[in-house]
Amino acid sequence: MIIFERKEYFLQLLSEHILISFGALAITTIVGILLGIWVFYSSKSRKFVLPLVNFLYTIPSIAMFGLLIPLVGIGLKNAIIVLVLYGLLPMVRNTSTGLSEVRSDIVEAAKGMGATKYQIFKDIYFPLALPSILSGLRITTVMLVALTGLAALIGAGGLGQAIFRGLNTMNTPMIVAGSLGVSLLAVLSDQWVGVFENRLVRVVSKNASKKQKLVVYINMALLAVVFIAATAYTRPLQSKNVNTIIVASKPTSEQFILGEIIAQLIENETDLQVVRKFGIGGGTTNIHPAMTNGEVDMYVEYTGTGWMSVLEEPLPTDNHVEFSLIQKQYQENYNLKWLGLLGFNNTYTLAIPDSLAQKFKIQNFSDLARYSQHFKFGAEFDFFERSDAYKGLVKTYGFNFSSIHEMDINLRYNALVEGKVNAIDAFTTDGKIVALNLKVLVDNKNYFPSYEAGIIARIEILERFPQLEPLLMKLNQKISTETMTNMNYEVEVLKKDPRIVAKLFLEHLKEQQK
Amino acid sequence: MSNLTIIRFTDVGFSYGEQSVLNNISFSVDKGEFICLTGKSGCGKSTLLRLINGLLPRREGEIEILNKNMADWELHQLRRKMGYVLQEGALFPHLTAYQNMCYCLNLIEGGAKDSEERINELLPLVNLDRSILKKFPDTLSGGQRQRVGILRAIAHNPEIVLMDEPFSALDAETRMNLQVLVKNIHQKLNTTFVMVTHDSDEAERLSTRIIHMDAGKIKSTLNEFPSE
């Protein structure tokens, strides 16, 4: 079982999940109840609070995480704000509905006997609205625990990270373990809130039996213990610690491995602590802003992406991005430093089964163009959409495939195995290339831009910890395309833990340097 | 007016928006009286009752309660000197019978101190025994609920007890029993009662004076019924 093999990793994710979802739940409960009370007592507030929380609820959650990045950045804060905004609707609604459903003759009786407004709220309205508030809390709890699964997209961690990691590395047991973890936590949390139904109202009304009181107090203590343990385990404020380096990665197996290599190298060779913000959804789009505002200290980027997406520069005619140029521009514009190149180029390429390559004696793109009428070509949707991909490729090499097939990026290899296509686009370091015995063809006219990998770090952090730069420079030119492809293969196909793969790589590197 | 007057209305009027409900109401109640307000539904008798404890704000005229102008009372303080009984008792469903009984006592400063003793003392008066004390209202019969409601209204020794159609939802037998019980309480405690009822037989049986209302005005006042 993957959970037991990687129990530390899952314990970390579980702790993060509990911290995020229950932290958000605590805030949602307090804010939601207060807003619900306000809505109940003030007809003016009803006109805008309810439409507002309704509106917030309708924004797709993934979009909400993204929308908040420019305001609060990535990570825990962003996740908690989004979850709180989402959870408000059931809490506000159930609180105000619960209060308005309290029988008017009962309220009149209390008022007529001399209870003050506060006493009426405390002794009558609140206990009688409690069942409705608790059912709202149950809905909110399940919703927030499930929604926390998406927090991994913005680097906040949680069990969702296992799901995304599994999806991005084609690791089904990982997806199952992450999903089951979320579901189990949601079910347990639902049961936990359920314990308070019928019992809490008795405790609040001071007429609970000893057993009822005990159950309520034990369950409250249980939550407190679990929450404190999760907090202690994750140490959410650790990233604010002065001696901490935050390493980020995009959501691909390659990036998980490279992120681990950087993290472990720092941990092994310095006394600095590392916080891993791996698998950030949206990749460069979200990591680059986080780098410029200091939420992330370093990550691995590719020259083509940095040149075109971040610097928004046009490609030179030979499609090769000059490293010294990109380094200079990053430093001047963003105060970020490219520390050098790792040694591999993860660019687009075309791949066909080795058997066909031998049959037709195909080595490069031009060879393939000559026999292209014998090939069925498959690629992901954006490959056909981007002007610098399929369209230009056909123009440059004159491909004339017998048919073309658009599909999800992760399904290309499956389609190849099933024989639906026999030529696909690929990334040069894809682990599946090794697994499926594919022939990677040479881009003999240099059509695709180069995507050479390199570590980018904040200059501020390099200055504060001068030991970092020489240390990380040790990785320069040490990861060849072949090495990277093999490491990807070990993670994607052999389902090894990226941490183990990274550890072995570093051990191997150390031996070489002796 | 005698020194014993504890409720005095002078030219009191009340309206809901444009709709006039009470016009030129003047009457007074002396300590120890049992007043029944009768009349058809919509005649304004319940509105009048709610003006006495300030649940509805006076619009015109003067109201004096316990020798103090209504405007000078802190309303919740005034209400704590009264008991209030509604249909079926309007018991708090989340509180036990005993907690319901103590509700008014607990609102009064120092009232909670001897509450157990006080409740035990009053239980025989409303014909209830201790076995129901821990029960919740939804497990009690209609008659039991109303007895708890009456005990709740008298436990703190109020100057005035207001009752709004307290027996209207009960069956004839229970109703009769409770009428006897309330009459008994009135005689024993010598508290002033003002009760709204649409049943003129009930009014005659219980009251020392009937104020009959019609279309927002006092139509007639009947005094001194021979006690049964």
Side-chain angles (χ1 to χ4, degrees), chain A residues 56-67:
Chain A
L56 288 171
Y57 191 73
T58 58
I59 302 175
S61 45
I62 294 189
M64 183 102 98
F65 283 117
L67 287 171

Side-chain angles (χ1 to χ4, degrees), chain A residues 429-445:
Chain A
T429 55
D430 278 352
K432 289 255 173 164
I433 289 173
V434 185
L436 299 176
N437 199 15
L438 299 181
K439 174 79 181 171
V440 175
L441 306 179
V442 177
D443 181 5
N444 53 311
K445 291 184 184 172

Side-chain angles (χ1 to χ4, degrees), chain A residues 403-415:
Chain A
S403 60
I404 58 170
H405 304 265
E406 292 188 35
M407 60 193 74
D408 182 79
I409 190 159
N410 293 313
L411 297 179
R412 290 168 307 173
Y413 291 103
N414 299 37

Side-chain angles (χ1 to χ4, degrees), chain A residues 247-305:
Chain A
V247 179
S249 92
K250 303 182 190 189
T252 63
S253 1
E254 179 167 303
Q255 285 270 329
F256 284 121
I257 299 166
L258 295 171
E260 269 301 333
I261 290 176
I262 296 174
Q264 290 182 23
L265 186 64
I266 296 173
E267 284 168 342
N268 296 346
E269 307 286 327
T270 71
D271 42 22
L272 298 171
Q273 289 179 337
V274 176
V275 171
R276 292 161 169 81
K277 289 197 174 176
F278 289 177
I280 294 177
T284 307
T285 326
N286 290 332
I287 301 177
H288 178 70
M291 287 282 287
T292 55
N293 66 26
E295 281 179 279
V296 167
D297 295 318
M298 58 187 65
Y299 79 113
V300 171
E301 186 54 281
Y302 304 94
T303 50
T305 312

Side-chain angles (χ1 to χ4, degrees), chain B residues 3-227:
Chain B
N3 286 340
L4 294 172
T5 300
I6 57 170
I7 300 172
R8 192 198 325 259
F9 275 50
T10 315
D11 292 332
V12 172
F14 184 83
S15 54
Y16 288 107
E18 294 289 293
Q19 198 195 343
S20 169
V21 183
L22 293 177
N23 290 306
N24 294 324
I25 300 282
S26 295
F27 73 100
S28 60
V29 178
D30 285 353
K31 190 169 166 54
E33 277 195 280
F34 195 129
I35 305 288
C36 276
L37 299 170
T38 60
K40 287 180 201 154
S41 52
C43 70
K45 54 189 190 297
S46 289
T47 304
L48 200 153
L49 191 82
R50 284 167 177 75
L51 285 169
I52 298 173
N53 61 7
L55 283 178
L56 291 173
R58 167 190 59 96
R59 306 269 186 214
E60 293 159 22
E62 292 290 326
I63 299 175
E64 245 180 65
I65 310 282
L66 300 170
N67 296 316
K68 203 163 152 185
N69 199 304
M70 194 64 142
D72 299 331
W73 276 108
E74 280 273 3
L75 282 178
H76 68 271
Q77 296 294 2
L78 170 65
R79 291 172 189 147
R80 287 175 189 178
K81 294 186 183 299
M82 301 185 184
Y84 194 33
V85 182
L86 288 114
Q87 247 190 46
E88 282 211 68
L91 299 184
F92 306 125
H94 58 301
L95 301 180
T96 60
Y98 177 74
Q99 287 179 305
N100 266 286
M101 291 170 183
C102 294
Y103 189 79
C104 294
L105 277 172
N106 291 341
L107 290 175
I108 298 167
E109 222 170 293
K113 207 171 48 191
D114 305 317
S115 53
E116 197 173 343
E117 202 180 315
R118 176 73 179 152
I119 301 300
N120 280 333
E121 182 189 317
L122 291 174
L123 278 174
L125 201 60
V126 292
N127 261 338
L128 286 172
D129 64 68
R130 294 187 52 83
S131 64
I132 61 119
L133 290 181
K134 283 187 175 168
K135 289 187 175 173
F136 284 89
D138 60 354
T139 61
L140 301 175
S141 70
Q144 285 175 320
R145 275 203 287 270
Q146 198 50 285
R147 284 164 210 266
V148 173
I150 292 168
L151 201 157
R152 178 174 69 177
I154 59 170
H156 56 304
N157 235 337
E159 306 266 356
I160 304 164
V161 177
L162 304 178
M163 303 173 112
D164 190 2
E165 306 256 13
F167 311 133
S168 61
L170 302 172
D171 63 80
E173 197 189 333
T174 315
R175 200 179 168 124
M176 194 67 98
N177 289 338
L178 282 173
Q179 285 168 0
V180 173
L181 186 140
V182 166
K183 197 168 171 85
N184 234 331
I185 292 172
H186 173 241
Q187 283 166 354
K188 278 199 179 144
L189 301 182
N190 198 25
T191 306
T192 310
F193 277 71
V194 180
M195 174 168 132
V196 168
T197 175
H198 62 271
D199 179 348
S200 50
D201 288 345
E202 183 171 273
E204 280 182 27
R205 217 168 286 137
L206 289 174
S207 67
T208 56
R209 185 153 58 111
I210 296 177
I211 297 178
H212 186 69
M213 297 183 64
D214 188 30
K217 289 186 173 156
I218 294 179
K219 187 94 176 180
S220 62
T221 307
L222 287 170
N223 270 324
E224 293 301 320
F225 294 95
S227 51

Side-chain angles (χ1 to χ4, degrees), chain A residues 48-123:
Chain A
F48 69 90
V49 173
L50 286 180
L52 182 72
V53 293
N54 270 334
F55 169 72
L56 288 171
Y57 191 73
T58 58
I59 302 175
S61 45
I62 294 189
M64 183 102 98
F65 283 117
L67 287 171
L68 278 176
I69 291 174
L71 300 174
V72 296
I74 56 170
L76 186 67
K77 216 196 305 173
N78 182 323
I80 288 192
I81 293 174
V82 171
L83 293 174
V84 168
L85 293 179
Y86 261 95
L88 282 181
L89 182 69
M91 281 317 294
V92 175
R93 269 204 181 281
N94 277 47
T95 304
S96 68
T97 310
L99 290 170
S100 60
E101 280 173 357
V102 174
R103 270 165 47 200
S104 61
D105 62 325
I106 289 171
V107 177
E108 185 181 324
K111 200 174 170 189
M113 288 183 288
T116 60
K117 212 172 176 181
Y118 171 69
Q119 287 169 328
I120 293 173
F121 175 77
K122 177 176 71 81
D123 300 330

